[in-house]
Amino acid sequence: MKSTKVNLNPPPKTPIGYTWSRYLELFVSYFSSCIFVLVLTVGGVVYHYYQTLKGNEKSDPSSIVDDQGPYHDFKKMKAKNDLRYYALQLGLDLHEYRVQTKDGYILILHNLFDPKESSEDKDKREPFLLQHGLLSCSGAFLSGGYQSLAFYLHKAGHDVWLGNNRCWFEPLHATIEGNLMYNEEFWDWDVRELAYYDMPCLIDNVLSHKPHHEALFLIGHSQGCTQNFLMLRNSELDEWHRKVRYFFPLAPAIYPGPLFHNRAFLRFMRHRSQSSFRWIFGRYSFLRLITFARNNLYSTRFFSYMSYVMFSFLFLWNGRKWNPSRKLWHIHFIFNVTFVSTKLMSWWLAEWVPQSFANELQPAKAYKTDAHFSPQLTDAKLQKDDSKTYFPYKESWFDDVSFIVPMVAFIGGEDFLVDGKRLASHMKDFEPSYTNENLKVVELIDYSHLDVVWAADLQPRIGKVIVETVRGLSPEEQESTEEKLTKVA
């Protein structure tokens, strides 16, 4: 079915008038956000101890595929917020580039490399760009050390680039001046800007360093998939579609899972009106208190402990599949809770935004059976109308796109935050451009939402599939196959 026309491009900016009500809203939202975080923290601690008593916090020993450990001399390592420090512990190094989007935002782009390798050999490596999820950053793909996806891809012979969305841990802009933390113009963006400006900027800057490559391989996690799906379905961005050889979505956040029905905090945010949402969370950075805490307390175990209990409480996941070392968990959480806009969070969570992720949520009864991903179902009580959203289930997203990027998607069987099965069903039943030749879905039945980037066994279960897919496309192997076929003929 042909897709309903939805504007995928960012809206034009409108002048912002600062009035006494805006300042009052800022004052009230600061305190209400603090209360929200406090209640969330207390709830997280209680939930964590309850799960511990039930035995649900025990690590899964089957996830440990080797005894090498996450880093060489791991016991002597310190908790630092410098990602390059962790690259150096692996015998590698990290370049940091500051790149500018067309709308003036400064993004941080990292490149993992071997300092002993010649520039000629490095140029031959095929580029991978890895894009993080919501509230995360480039460190999510490297913090696992020897067990990380970034290290695995580099070891397999690829040039690994790690992208960061606006605004990372430090808001930066080329033209907007003053205190950016309280500048409404600076925070006026959502997922459309991430797709329309940030991704093309990152792709172009990676390829500007790769004179022998015209395209790259793209990996996204969660929101990193959302913004890339949005980019790939936008016909105005055809130039960048052709710069992506293959796309590997990890736990793609296209459809919400049943967690949005089960967690009181998510229901609370989803059902707020536009005015109450802003009086609670403001118009600037979303829950900036948490990122401030990260920037000042990241070296303490208290920060990582509170991060874990809060997010596991909110999103119903645990670290059973991760390396059991709590020190490594600490490193993981150092590279989380980045600054994001409240406008972006309203797209994810608020029903008052017509195109929002929240408005794709199906009725609670649908998740108790297969109704939430059944293409034949017409029962209105079990299928909510999502035609106004960016990813309507029963409409093709790529009908106006001239270049189709092949995909291998990884979905988690224990991921209740996003609905991977609904996405797989959509791609199979409503995207005629995708067939068994250019689409594969890998279900990891025991993986939750963060396991796809932090699980101790992600290399053999995800990394190996990605590398084998890429090697099957390499020019050398294609030429070898053609030679064999010629000889047989």
Side-chain angles (χ1 to χ4, degrees):
M1 181 183 295
K2 190 175 179 63
S3 176
T4 304
K5 288 295 182 182
V6 178
N7 186 11
L8 305 175
N9 299 335
K13 301 298 182 183
T14 57
I16 297 171
Y18 291 91
T19 63
W20 67 268
S21 62
R22 291 289 176 93
Y23 291 108
L24 179 61
E25 183 185 274
L26 173 63
F27 179 79
V28 172
S29 64
Y30 176 79
F31 287 99
S32 58
S33 294
C34 290
I35 294 173
F36 183 87
V37 172
L38 177 61
V39 174
L40 177 62
T41 301
V42 173
V45 172
V46 173
Y47 175 79
H48 174 67
Y49 280 107
Y50 174 69
Q51 293 298 318
T52 301
L53 289 173
K54 291 179 65 178
N56 293 337
E57 293 292 337
K58 295 180 180 179
S59 295
D60 180 2
S62 65
S63 298
I64 307 300
V65 294
D66 60 58
D67 56 0
Q68 179 184 19
Y71 292 91
H72 178 69
D73 210 4
F74 185 45
K75 292 182 179 180
K76 295 183 179 180
M77 285 181 60
K78 298 180 180 179
K80 296 188 178 183
N81 65 346
D82 178 9
L83 190 58
R84 182 171 180 249
Y85 169 77
Y86 301 97
L88 292 172
Q89 306 307 308
L90 303 173
L92 303 175
D93 206 339
L94 200 72
H95 274 312
E96 180 173 301
Y97 300 91
R98 294 195 171 192
V99 300
Q100 182 178 327
T101 66
K102 289 185 178 179
D103 59 343
Y105 286 81
I106 306 300
L107 312 182
I108 306 299
L109 177 62
H110 289 127
N111 178 217
L112 187 67
F113 70 99
D114 184 350
K116 300 177 182 178
E117 187 176 39
S118 68
S119 57
E120 292 79 10
D121 289 339
K122 183 178 183 298
D123 286 343
K124 295 177 183 178
R125 288 176 174 258
E126 291 187 293
F128 262 88
L129 172 60
L130 283 62
Q131 194 61 26
H132 62 80
L134 179 65
L135 294 172
S136 189
C137 74
S138 56
F141 294 105
L142 184 59
S143 58
Y146 291 124
Q147 298 168 354
S148 69
L149 184 58
F151 178 81
Y152 183 84
L153 293 174
H154 181 274
K155 186 178 179 181
H158 302 289
D159 191 12
V160 178
W161 295 77
L162 309 170
N164 287 282
N165 289 325
R166 63 187 75 185
C167 297
W168 199 51
F169 297 103
E170 178 186 5
L172 299 168
H173 199 278
T175 59
I176 300 177
E177 300 178 346
N179 187 346
L180 297 181
M181 288 304 304
Y182 300 100
N183 188 303
E184 192 172 333
E185 178 186 1
F186 178 83
W187 296 102
D188 185 20
W189 51 270
D190 60 25
V191 71
R192 289 169 294 183
E193 281 80 3
L194 303 184
Y196 194 82
Y197 293 117
D198 290 23
M199 289 313 307
C201 173
L202 294 170
I203 290 171
D204 282 345
N205 277 278
V206 169
L207 292 177
S208 71
H209 294 275
K210 305 297 296 182
H212 305 302
H213 298 85
E214 297 181 353
L216 50 72
F217 294 98
L218 186 60
I219 296 176
H221 172 234
S222 191
Q223 180 186 260
C225 305
T226 316
Q227 64 198 76
N228 278 301
F229 268 97
L230 201 56
M231 176 191 73
L232 294 174
R233 67 157 299 190
N234 190 336
S235 59
E236 292 188 17
L237 301 177
D238 178 77
E239 174 186 349
W240 288 277
H241 302 168
R242 299 176 184 277
K243 296 179 182 181
V244 179
R245 288 191 66 187
Y246 229 97
F247 179 35
F248 300 94
L250 310 178
I254 304 300
Y255 295 116
L259 201 66
F260 280 76
H261 288 296
N262 301 336
R263 309 311 281 173
F265 278 103
L266 295 178
R267 293 199 306 270
F268 173 81
M269 290 184 277
R270 184 161 58 92
H271 294 310
R272 294 310 94 200
S273 66
Q274 181 174 355
S275 59
S276 63
F277 196 94
R278 287 175 174 170
W279 280 100
I280 297 171
F281 302 111
R283 297 172 185 259
Y284 305 95
S285 175
F286 182 77
L287 298 181
R288 56 192 176 276
L289 175 65
I290 298 179
T291 311
F292 285 147
R294 177 267 180 193
N295 289 344
N296 291 281
L297 301 175
Y298 67 87
S299 62
T300 67
R301 290 292 182 92
F302 173 77
F303 168 76
S304 62
Y305 169 77
M306 293 310 304
S307 296
Y308 176 77
V309 300
M310 285 173 61
F311 287 110
S312 62
F313 173 54
L314 260 178
F315 303 132
L316 203 61
W317 44 249
N318 56 48
R320 296 188 67 227
K321 302 293 295 183
W322 309 349
N323 185 294
S325 169
R326 294 304 190 267
K327 184 175 182 178
L328 186 63
W329 292 23
H330 185 184
I331 295 171
H332 285 325
F333 282 107
I334 288 176
F335 299 100
N336 270 274
V337 294
T338 55
F339 288 120
V340 299
S341 72
T342 298
K343 185 177 180 181
L344 173 65
M345 294 304 298
S346 68
W347 179 82
W348 281 107
L349 300 172
E351 287 184 325
W352 54 266
V353 179
Q355 303 85 7
S356 73
F357 182 75
N359 278 319
E360 296 174 338
L361 182 66
Q362 299 306 299
K365 290 182 179 179
Y367 295 97
K368 296 179 180 179
T369 64
D370 293 343
H372 60 107
F373 65 91
S374 173
Q376 290 79 28
L377 193 67
T378 58
D379 187 348
K381 295 181 180 180
L382 296 178
Q383 287 282 2
K384 180 181 178 181
D385 178 24
D386 61 1
S387 59
K388 294 182 180 180
T389 66
Y390 294 137
F391 302 106
Y393 174 63
K394 292 189 176 182
E395 299 178 11
S396 172
W397 309 333
F398 302 99
D399 53 308
D400 292 329
V401 174
S402 60
F403 185 83
I404 299 296
V405 177
M407 300 182 191
V408 176
F410 297 84
I411 61 175
E414 295 294 317
D415 188 349
F416 306 112
L417 180 62
V418 303
D419 191 347
K421 289 186 176 180
R422 186 171 173 85
L423 172 63
S425 175
H426 167 85
M427 297 298 293
K428 175 184 177 182
D429 295 304
F430 301 104
E431 294 297 346
S433 298
Y434 281 94
T435 65
N436 292 334
E437 298 297 321
N438 59 1
L439 173 68
K440 181 179 180 181
V441 177
V442 178
E443 183 178 4
L444 305 165
I445 59 174
D446 55 341
Y447 268 31
S448 64
H449 195 66
L450 277 180
D451 293 343
V452 294
V453 289
W454 287 351
D457 60 353
L458 69 84
Q459 291 183 351
R461 301 183 67 182
I462 295 177
K464 184 179 180 181
V465 175
I466 293 174
V467 169
E468 288 180 349
T469 301
V470 170
R471 286 176 177 171
L473 299 171
S474 65
E476 293 80 6
E477 291 192 10
Q478 289 177 0
E479 290 174 3
S480 176
T481 302
E482 290 174 0
E483 289 177 1
K484 291 178 182 178
L485 290 174
T486 301
K487 291 179 180 179
V488 171

